[in-house]
Amino acid sequence: MRSPVMSLFRRELAGYFATPVAYVFILIFLVLAAAMAFYLGGFFERGQADLGAFFTFHPWLYLFLVPAVSMRLWAEERKSGTIELLLTLPVTMGQAVLGKFLAAWAFIAIALALTFPVWITVNYLGNPDNGAILAGYIGSLLMAGAFLAIGSCLSAATRNQVIAFILTVVVCFLLLLAGYPLVLDAFSGWAPQALVDGIASISFLTHFNAISKGVIDLRDLVYFGLMIGAWLYACAIVVEMKKAD
């Protein structure tokens, strides 16, 4: 028997590929990811058989592309009035939030998986640490999920997809910026080390950079798990509060 979450997941994921927008998004993602790795990251000039240059730009690539995916999750449902129909289905609020989130996350995972030629290229050119590369992909997917959970919650807070997009970019940017060396250096000059460490610990960059180096620490996995769970829980609360609007 198919669970409500899986039924919603299948319906939502199929909906992505029902329009050309999904294919355009994937094409843009692949082109930008390759361009950033090979040109901005100096893939060939570095002379190293790894994907460090490839993963370095993922946080900034996701900063605009993931909110573009998440902005429609609930804002479109509310604007078109289909949210009432969705909530009349035999599905709980938590299942609805989870089903839509998993479909969007799977869509991004497909786009990420299609970058496999970059992995093949680096294996062709040298002898890379494939374990570290796999860890980089896992970290990238977890970070995309966290971005998506934030976007899902903020999409539920408004009927306007543009506003949802901007709010998500701003929140994700602040959570990225918190771990940027320039910001941490500004605090380290006067603030206690505990505060500096606290600011760094809430940043996506701190945890993603650790995983992308090939070290999968339980604390980094817990961070992304908590980030996704907390924002999805907040999303369910927001949808419940605004379903009568």
Side-chain angles (χ1 to χ4, degrees), residues 16 80 123 142 166 190 229:
Y16 282 105
S80 62
N123 272 276
L142 288 172
I166 294 173
W190 57 272

Side-chain angles (χ1 to χ4, degrees), residues 173-191:
F173 179 66
L174 291 176
L175 287 171
L176 281 175
L177 209 60
Y180 203 64
L182 187 63
V183 174
L184 296 178
D185 290 343
F187 280 92
S188 63
W190 57 272

